[in-house]
Amino acid sequence: MCSSDLFADQLKAGALHGWGYLGPNPYIMPLHVWMAGLNALLFGTHSILGNVLMQGLFDAGTCLVVGMIARSIDERYETAAIVAAAINPTQIFVAGMVYPDSAFVFFTALILLGSLRWMRAPSWRLALLIACGFIGATWLRILLVPFLPALA
């Protein structure tokens, strides 16, 4: 039984226990397994389609965030940046696979957007945006943690 099936079965039973809901091993980051489990719970045997649709939402969000980053630099770059992000072959190819890369790129783009805007006008709202992006990206790839001191 794969970890997403275990997670979905435990959700249906109303009890999450053990390391199973964190992934197949405790050193694997949980967010991708949680998303796969949620798709298995919501879509059942069609969970792969649900996963592709969810990744499409993350990719669309990434395109919007890239546009916001470009607009922060110069308003004239926004449309070109959104189009370039939308036709990025890597995003198109990876969106049809069961990988956590789409969500990771989205959360990393949030970190970049928040950091770029923070450099212009620091605020608690932007610090929260950076923190949310960093938490989401870290729950997908633990190797992002060494960059926290550089971000500070």
Side-chain angles (χ1 to χ4, degrees), residues 70-134:
R71 185 175 20 159
S72 295
I73 296 169
D74 190 338
E75 289 184 11
R76 295 175 295 172
Y77 302 149
E78 181 180 14
T79 304
I82 290 173
V83 170
I87 62 172
N88 177 9
T90 305
Q91 269 188 311
I92 294 168
F93 179 71
V94 171
M97 305 174 92
V98 183
Y99 287 142
D101 295 350
S102 295
F104 180 76
V105 171
F106 172 75
F107 287 122
T108 305
L110 284 181
I111 296 170
L112 293 173
L113 174 65
S115 299
L116 182 64
R117 289 188 175 177
W118 170 272
M119 288 189 287
R120 292 185 183 204
S123 70
W124 284 105
R125 185 177 66 88
L126 292 173
L128 185 60
L129 178 67
I130 295 168
C132 289
F134 198 85

Side-chain angles (χ1 to χ4, degrees), residues 15-36:
L16 289 175
H17 53 82
W19 288 106
Y21 67 94
L22 288 174
N25 297 305
Y27 54 82
I28 293 177
M29 300 312 291
L31 188 56
H32 180 63
V33 176
W34 292 348
M35 291 186 298

Side-chain angles (χ1 to χ4, degrees), residues 61-71 77-78 81-82 84-85 105 109 113:
T62 301
C63 291
L64 293 176
V65 172
V66 166
M68 290 162 56
I69 291 170
R71 185 175 20 159
Y77 302 149
E78 181 180 14
I82 290 173
V105 171
L113 174 65

